[in-house]
Amino acid sequence: VTQEQIETVLSDIQLQIRRLGERDVRSMTIGEIVMQALFALDHVAYVRFASVYQDFQDIDAFRHQIEKMQYRDQEH
């Protein structure tokens, strides 16, 4: 992932948050926006973020997330 890609994703995330038009944005909403952006950018970064954000407790949680990712990739 290049620095330019990271900066683009950050700008996109900020724009999405601004478009919500809310003064206060719940951290859960921000987390979901970040997860969507990471999924499109880098699958490994997505799983790493998701593992912390969603508090994976075991290997089955990782496996389930990866299966969901594979399903999403097949849809696109």
Side-chain angles (χ1 to χ4, degrees):
V1 177
T2 68
Q3 184 65 32
E4 183 178 327
Q5 289 172 307
I6 293 169
E7 290 173 14
T8 299
V9 167
L10 288 174
S11 293
D12 291 346
I13 290 169
Q14 290 173 338
L15 181 60
Q16 287 182 51
I17 292 170
R18 282 190 201 110
R19 284 183 179 160
L20 294 173
E22 299 176 18
R23 184 178 170 112
D24 295 316
V25 179
R26 295 175 43 192
S27 61
M28 184 169 62
T29 301
I30 295 171
E32 292 299 321
I33 292 170
V34 170
M35 285 184 56
Q36 289 174 4
L38 286 175
F39 185 85
L41 179 67
D42 182 280
H43 284 46
V44 173
Y46 170 83
V47 172
R48 288 178 177 165
F49 182 83
S51 70
V52 174
Y53 177 69
Q54 296 178 345
D55 193 27
F56 291 2
Q57 295 297 312
D58 55 34
I59 194 70
D60 288 331
F62 279 95
R63 186 177 296 116
H64 177 71
Q65 190 64 45
I66 291 169
E67 289 169 356
K68 284 175 43 178
M69 288 172 52
Q70 290 171 330
Y71 179 76
R72 283 176 64 183
D73 274 346
Q74 291 173 358
E75 289 182 330
H76 299 122

